[in-house]
Amino acid sequence: MFNTGFIPQIGQFVIVTSGRDAGQYAIIVRLAEKFVYLADGERIPFDRPKKKNPRHLQFIDHVSLEVQNSMKEIGRVTNGKLRFALTKFLNERISEKEKGDETHGQR
């Protein structure tokens, strides 16, 4: 399916590295032969996912189990669940960065 040796997963977080959405976070909601389909529940709703070449994405080693389970159970995910998963993930990343900054000295 993919020649990169890395297989993307449904529910996996990515950062778009090229195109109009460069720098944006999204979640993989569908896999195709040579492409992945992304959604974020806001700008890119589940009903109209964005088709992207995997070479234009930075894959994050984190998968939303809520999204993955919803896709397995009912074959879709709500936009609210996508927004919740992204917000939760980004808040965790921010808190991890702040913890790292605290260990480098405080005033």
Side-chain angles (χ1 to χ4, degrees), residues 52-89:
K52 290 297 267 181
N53 186 323
R55 287 184 274 167
H56 300 159
L57 302 172
Q58 177 184 345
F59 293 90
I60 299 171
D61 190 23
H62 188 80
V63 174
S64 169
L65 295 178
E66 293 95 354
V67 172
Q68 196 174 59
N69 290 337
S70 181
M71 291 296 292
K72 284 180 184 176
E73 290 172 9
I74 61 173
R76 64 173 287 114
V77 64
T78 64
N79 289 319
K81 194 173 281 192
L82 288 169
R83 288 190 304 268
F84 176 79
L86 274 169
T87 301
K88 181 179 167 186
F89 171 72

Side-chain angles (χ1 to χ4, degrees), residues 1-9 28 30-37 52-55 57 59:
M1 184 190 226
F2 295 95
N3 298 354
T4 60
F6 176 77
I7 300 173
Q9 300 178 52
I28 297 174
R30 194 166 83 206
L31 302 172
E33 183 78 19
K34 296 181 182 179
F35 297 95
V36 296
Y37 288 83
K52 290 297 267 181
N53 186 323
R55 287 184 274 167
L57 302 172
F59 293 90

